[in-house]
Amino acid sequence: MSSIKIECVLRENCHCGESPVWEEASNSLLFVDIPAKKVCRWDSLSKQVQRVTVDAPVSSVALRQLGGYVATVGTKFCALNWEDQSTVVLATVDKEKKNNRFNDGKVDPAGRYFAGTMAEETAPAVLERRQGSLYSLFPDHHVEKYFDQVDISNGLDWSLDHKIFYYIDSLSYSVDAFDYDLQTGKISNRRSVYKLEKEEQIPDGMCIDVEGKLWVACYNGGRVIRLDPETGKRLQTVKLPVDKTTSCCFGGKDYSEMYVTCARDGLDSKGLLQQPEAGGIFKITGLGVKGIPPYPYTG
């Protein structure tokens, strides 16, 4: 094992940082601060941050093949033009649920943008249950709904052979798998591949590595864990100096670095004193495994 190094590369003080995505073309990390309604882009070379503010809580961001980005804003799938900071609505979901918003989202290997919803929280992880659904925005801008009765729609990714979809509904304390059809985007045969242990707390964002193992950020657990979805075993735990770890992605040169987002919201003044880097962006090196590049939305 090479020695693991964890550093806070950006003290952004996010209320709730989420959805880290590496953009190879600009050597940058994209991420969002959900309640601050900000999409951020951190240049890993210049160390400068650019921020675009949108008109509702923004819960995920993804690359777009045509240029610019796509993001989930409120209950809308939007295209985001970085240059003029404008957004264009591509589709809207959950129109009858005025208290809902999108949460985590990610683009599948065929270029569809998967994202799920939840009821707006009254406090972190406190909300009206089973109000959310999982959706996908197809390249032609039509939306498909997969299922409802979701508490907090969260981490998602696809197996390396594109035959399995992995998904987290946070308050089930489980990482689930579905059979996945790359051609149609259909999912079926839901099952649990890992149940979180008590000290691991709440499963949040997730990504896959080149060995097909899953990395899950554990909210309130202050860690990311590496799982083998075939055996259901935890292989590794990496603890961070903040409790409210929210999501993770691989990036950097050759995707050998892991970036982790986290939150400040929900910490009291004592917690903030003990965790001055809460809300920052962390980089983990020396994991000895690489990730895969993110897929761009093809619409």
Side-chain angles (χ1 to χ4, degrees):
M1 262 330 254
S2 53
S3 67
I4 293 172
K5 182 181 166 202
I6 301 166
E7 62 175 316
C8 182
V9 291
L10 178 65
R11 299 235 346 213
E12 181 69 7
N13 290 338
C14 289
H15 292 283
C16 185
E18 264 284 7
S19 185
V21 181
W22 185 257
E23 183 176 44
E24 210 171 309
S26 63
N27 288 296
S28 297
L29 184 77
L30 290 151
F31 61 95
V32 302
D33 184 350
I34 301 179
K37 308 176 183 177
K38 284 186 173 69
V39 182
C40 307
R41 187 171 73 186
W42 174 72
D43 185 315
S44 66
L45 304 178
S46 72
K47 313 297 184 196
Q48 297 300 302
V49 188
Q50 296 175 303
R51 302 170 186 86
V52 171
T53 303
V54 293
D55 65 0
V58 55
S59 59
S60 73
V61 62
L63 309 180
R64 191 182 189 192
Q65 205 166 44
L66 294 172
Y69 309 109
V70 282
T72 48
V73 181
T75 53
K76 303 182 292 284
F77 284 107
C78 294
L80 173 60
N81 181 318
W82 198 259
E83 272 54 57
D84 67 8
Q85 305 201 353
S86 64
T87 54
V88 174
V89 177
L90 303 177
T92 306
V93 305
D94 285 2
K95 290 179 185 165
E96 73 294 345
K97 295 195 170 177
K98 299 299 178 207
N99 195 39
N100 273 23
R101 66 161 174 85
F102 268 118
N103 202 39
D104 208 353
K106 191 172 280 185
V107 177
D108 82 353
R112 308 173 189 97
Y113 190 6
F114 276 62
T117 57
M118 60 183 281
E120 190 60 85
E121 296 164 302
T122 52
V126 179
L127 72 164
E128 191 180 349
R129 309 254 327 231
R130 296 187 292 280
Q131 296 303 301
S133 300
L134 180 68
Y135 296 97
S136 142
L137 178 71
F138 279 61
D140 66 2
H141 300 178
H142 92 272
V143 172
E144 290 205 8
K145 177 176 172 176
Y146 293 106
F147 49 82
D148 54 18
Q149 300 292 307
V150 173
D151 288 326
I152 301 178
S153 192
N154 239 320
L156 53 176
D157 218 328
W158 291 263
S159 62
L160 303 180
D161 65 4
H162 304 159
K163 290 184 173 168
I164 300 171
F165 168 59
Y166 298 110
Y167 175 72
I168 292 168
D169 179 354
S170 287
L171 298 187
S172 70
Y173 297 90
S174 170
V175 179
D176 291 353
F178 296 77
D179 297 342
Y180 166 73
D181 187 312
L182 180 68
Q183 262 47 62
T184 63
K186 290 208 178 341
I187 58 175
S188 58
N189 186 26
R190 185 174 191 168
R191 64 263 186 201
S192 174
V193 293
Y194 183 79
K195 290 277 191 202
L196 274 84
E197 294 176 19
K198 196 166 179 61
E199 74 276 8
E200 291 168 343
Q201 298 284 341
I202 303 174
D204 200 330
M206 171 168 61
C207 67
I208 199 164
D209 65 29
V210 291
E211 295 175 6
K213 307 300 188 273
L214 300 174
W215 292 83
V216 178
C218 300
Y219 183 84
N220 284 342
R223 66 191 70 188
V224 289
I225 55 174
R226 186 180 191 226
L227 313 174
D228 185 333
E230 290 183 11
T231 64
K233 298 271 187 288
R234 183 183 68 241
L235 305 172
Q236 193 175 351
T237 299
V238 180
K239 294 192 176 175
L240 286 89
V242 290
D243 285 341
K244 296 184 180 293
T245 35
T246 55
S247 193
C248 52
C249 78
F250 284 92
K253 183 177 165 340
D254 68 16
Y255 293 90
S256 64
E257 302 166 346
M258 175 174 278
Y259 288 90
V260 181
T261 52
C262 63
R264 284 171 74 79
D265 281 7
L267 288 170
D268 58 17
S269 51
K270 182 175 168 228
L272 290 169
L273 279 173
Q274 290 169 337
Q275 302 174 38
E277 297 167 327
I281 303 294
F282 288 84
K283 178 171 82 171
I284 305 175
T285 49
L287 288 173
V289 68
K290 295 175 181 176
I292 60 171
Y295 303 108
Y297 176 64
T298 52

